[in-house]
Amino acid sequence: MAVLAALAAHPDDVWATHAVAHVYEMRGATDTALDFLTTTEANWGSNNLFTVHLWWHRALFLLEQQRIADVLAIYDREVHH
């Protein structure tokens, strides 16, 4: 994916991170998406709406794996402050 090259050059580009999350979602690559979001989390920034949106994506991937407790923890900690 070309967007991964963009992220290598600019790891804090949350738009590129978001694009990758959607690509993995459309491919049904839940495990890969979760690994990717975990490894890029430190680059998301904080206290902005896009960070919350990336957490929401992560929660959706966890929901697909039926990891409900993890989904609720993300919601409580990161989405609904």
Side-chain angles (χ1 to χ4, degrees):
M1 271 186 277
V3 71
L4 293 176
L7 275 173
H10 303 282
D12 60 343
D13 184 341
V14 292
W15 281 99
T17 302
H18 181 249
V20 173
H22 274 282
V23 169
Y24 289 142
E25 176 188 6
M26 299 312 291
R27 291 180 175 178
T30 304
D31 292 334
T32 305
L34 285 169
D35 290 343
F36 170 74
L37 291 173
T38 299
T39 60
T40 61
E41 178 186 331
N43 300 324
W44 297 356
S46 61
N47 298 319
N48 67 68
L49 187 56
F50 224 120
T51 302
V52 172
H53 187 69
L54 290 171
W55 279 109
W56 177 77
H57 274 286
R58 190 168 172 176
L60 290 178
F61 289 123
L62 290 166
L63 187 61
E64 287 186 33
Q65 294 184 340
Q66 299 181 9
R67 294 171 54 185
I68 306 304
D70 293 331
V71 171
L72 293 174
I74 286 174
Y75 179 80
D76 289 343
R77 185 181 69 246
E78 306 294 345
V79 177
H80 183 27
H81 299 271

